Amino acid sequence: MVSGSERKGAISIEHVRRVFDGENGNPVVALQDFSLNVEPGAFVSLVGPSGCGKSTLLRMIAGLDDPTAGVIRLDGKKVTDPDPERGLVFQQPTLFPWLNVHDNVAAGLVARKVYKERKSDVDAFIRLVGLSGFERSYPHHLSGGMAQRVSLARVLVNHPKVLLLDEPLGALDAFTRMQMQDEILRIWKEEKITVILVTHDVDEAVYMSDTIVILSPRPGRIQEIIQVPQKHPRARNDEDFLHLRTRILESLHFAKAPEPLEYYI
Amino acid sequence: MATDVTKSRGTRSNRLTSLIPAALFLAGLAIHRLLPNQEPLSKAPAFTFVLAGAAVLLLVIIFLSLPLKKLGQAYSYRARFISAVAVFLILWDLVTQKFALLPLPYFPGPDKVFLVFVSDWKMLLKSTLYSARLLLLGYAIGGGLGLVSGIFMGWSKRVNYWLGPILKIIGPIPATAWIPIALVAFPTSFTASIFLIALAVWFPVAVMTSSGISNVQNAYFEVARTLGGGPRYLVLRVAVPAAAPSIFIGLFMGLGTSFLTLIAAEMLGVKAGLGWYINWAQGWAEFYKVYACLIVLALLFSGIIKLLFIVKDQLLSWQKGLIKW
């Protein structure tokens, strides 16, 4: 299912600034001079307090929002509009309730008028997210986790170079969330795709990503970039994991005074 | 929906109670044939056939529901209502034909009313077809224009700027108020009536379509854009289906206003159709024809509404429980 070998997915964010109009005319700076390079096939998490502009950044990469200043490029090409090569999964599945699972997944192919040639992809991606047998079900019959899988398949069927995840697991229960994390990692490896994940779950960031970008509170700026050297599959509770977790929390000013390690185990 | 009601009731008593409606129709038949009349019965025994026919039909249903359990359940759910209909027919016969308690010719007996379906069926059928044609043309034109203008208004701020106020100011005028103007502005009363019905349908359909489309969650459009959807896809494959429940309400409201306008237009201008038939029968003080025509109207209009709801259930199966019919 991975399209040709020329697949890339390098993102460069160059001095991006985003200012919103505030309530009483005062401009609100959501992002301030933000620069970041993401290698093709990387898994990068953006972590930061609410309102630090991480979702805004993701929307700008998706092309749904424009930077006030600065440029975002994908493989050297300037991002101006939404494009299926940059797939975005929202926090809410936002499936089209009038389409069944199969047609929801096929929506992108229909929109781009390539459904006939690529029909078999739809079933392949439904299988990939483990929903075979649910093709004819309508969204209101699906659980939150299933719906989010469908929305993932709906994006992947377009063979995006970049997968943008905007807290996609935030609305799920803890057990489903862990299951979905493993599934996304599996798809990331199979599809050799660049992933940018926005989350405020530090554990999720440490468990999943190669690179964690910590943003400062508004206006959003890069506070620290942390590399996660551990190979996948990772343990969720070993010493390295907890060490990294504590370090990130400290960086976010969330961590309290250091506590004994046993507390966590 | 009927099953849970019928299942909770005993099956033993069902056998007997299922015979009550048929028995009531037979009782009505006996009363009708045996009691002395204040008004002579018609030559063609129309009401006799109605009562006997109903009794036979019910007995056939009871017989068929022995193997067909579903039919039996549907029938026993409706049995009490059918009984009430039989009682109503008996009372109607008694207060008119048998005891002449109501003034004539305004309140004729059932025999006289049902006779119309025998004696004047050609005229009734012709009127029904005329009305159906007028309604279909007017509704199709008005509904189509309502959909198109509603979609444009809901989608484009610029279109809404120009069309919105017109819709809001002109739309609420009942279409029947335009009758004098329509009759002079159009070459024939037929085209004038089509215009009036189309106008009556256009308003609710355009309003509900445009409000439905402008209320579609922005998230759907964002998803569609990131999936590669162009403007055409966004309008036809996202906005319209997302607004479909609202559009359907507009189509339903438009059906109501179209019935009203149809009858009013036919009464005032057109030379054929069910509205014209009512007016014409009234002119000759043939009120039994008015009642017969009302029965046709009831069947025709409720049938059309049923049809709309069947279409709706097909299209909106993803969204249950909008309006029940």
Side-chain angles (χ1 to χ4, degrees), chain B residues 35-58:
Chain B
L35 247 58
N37 293 300
Q38 302 293 319
E39 270 265 306
L41 282 183
S42 50
K43 271 173 246 154
F47 191 48
T48 308
F49 278 120
V50 169
L51 292 171
V56 169
L57 183 68
L58 290 172

Side-chain angles (χ1 to χ4, degrees), chain B residues 76-323:
Chain B
S76 59
Y77 175 71
R78 291 275 171 223
R80 280 165 297 157
F81 185 78
I82 297 169
S83 305
V85 172
V87 170
F88 168 76
L89 289 177
I90 292 170
L91 287 176
W92 182 13
D93 196 29
L94 287 175
V95 296
T96 54
Q97 195 91 48
K98 302 301 172 192
F99 297 112
L101 299 175
L102 294 174
L104 286 171
Y106 313 111
F107 300 102
D111 194 47
K112 204 120 202 251
V113 170
F114 285 109
L115 182 69
V116 176
F117 295 114
V118 183
S119 63
D120 207 23
W121 69 271
K122 272 187 188 161
M123 203 61 212
L124 259 184
L125 183 66
K126 197 179 152 196
S127 298
T128 307
L129 293 177
Y130 266 90
S131 288
R133 182 175 65 158
L134 197 55
L135 189 68
L136 189 72
L137 283 169
Y139 190 76
I141 294 171
L145 288 176
L147 272 176
V148 172
S149 55
I151 289 170
F152 275 108
M153 284 166 60
W155 186 254
S156 151
K157 284 212 171 84
R158 195 181 300 166
V159 175
N160 193 41
Y161 175 84
W162 293 106
L163 267 186
I166 296 174
L167 184 79
K168 278 179 196 138
I169 293 166
I170 306 285
I173 304 174
T176 45
W178 293 92
I179 286 176
I181 295 162
L183 287 179
V184 285
F186 283 84
T188 61
S189 57
F190 181 70
T191 48
S193 303
I194 289 180
F195 164 77
L196 291 171
I197 295 168
L199 186 67
V201 177
W202 169 74
F203 174 60
V205 173
V207 166
M208 294 309 291
T209 304
S210 116
S211 83
I213 285 185
S214 54
N215 283 330
V216 175
Q217 282 179 53
N218 199 32
Y220 289 140
F221 295 126
E222 292 193 336
V223 166
R225 286 171 64 205
T226 58
L227 292 176
R232 221 182 123 81
Y233 186 88
L234 294 187
V235 174
L236 297 178
R237 301 276 193 147
V238 179
V240 171
S246 174
I247 294 173
F248 170 75
I249 293 172
L251 288 171
F252 176 61
M253 287 161 61
L255 215 44
T257 54
S258 74
F259 295 157
L260 182 80
T261 312
L262 171 78
I263 298 305
E266 285 181 339
M267 282 181 163
L268 290 169
V270 188
K271 293 285 167 276
L274 293 167
W276 167 84
Y277 188 93
I278 287 179
N279 221 21
W280 175 74
Q282 188 206 11
W284 292 98
E286 293 173 323
F287 276 83
Y288 49 95
K289 287 189 177 173
V290 174
Y291 288 100
C293 191
L294 287 176
I295 293 173
V296 174
L297 284 175
L299 295 176
L300 180 69
F301 289 170
S302 65
I304 291 172
I305 292 177
K306 181 76 192 169
L307 208 65
L308 181 72
F309 273 76
I310 289 172
V311 172
K312 176 225 119 184
D313 285 341
Q314 288 297 314
L315 292 178
L316 298 186
S317 57
W318 53 273
Q319 196 233 18
K320 288 275 179 205
L322 198 61
I323 311 172

Side-chain angles (χ1 to χ4, degrees), chain A residues 82-102:
Chain A
D83 190 289
E85 67 181 7
R86 283 165 276 120
L88 174 59
V89 177
F90 296 79
Q91 179 171 10
Q92 298 301 324
T94 330
L95 300 179
F96 299 133
W98 54 90
L99 298 179
N100 61 28
V101 167
H102 177 276

Side-chain angles (χ1 to χ4, degrees), chain A residues 246 250 254-260 264:
Chain A
T246 314
E250 270 165 7
F254 284 168
K256 297 166 197 133
E259 284 167 281
Y264 295 99

Side-chain angles (χ1 to χ4, degrees), chain A residues 51-119:
Chain A
C52 70
K54 52 195 194 299
S55 287
T56 306
L57 181 64
L58 212 61
R59 287 176 58 84
M60 288 191 293
I61 300 171
L64 290 172
D65 198 359
D66 295 322
T68 313
V71 191
I72 297 172
R73 289 179 208 279
L74 171 61
D75 297 331
K77 204 170 71 208
K78 191 180 169 188
V79 168
T80 49
D81 284 304
D83 190 289
E85 67 181 7
R86 283 165 276 120
L88 174 59
V89 177
F90 296 79
Q91 179 171 10
Q92 298 301 324
T94 330
L95 300 179
F96 299 133
W98 54 90
L99 298 179
N100 61 28
V101 167
H102 177 276
D103 294 347
N104 260 291
V105 174
L109 302 180
V110 173
R112 290 156 55 220
K113 301 187 179 69
V114 293
Y115 175 66
K116 270 188 188 156
E117 306 93 86
R118 305 260 307 271
K119 221 172 178 173

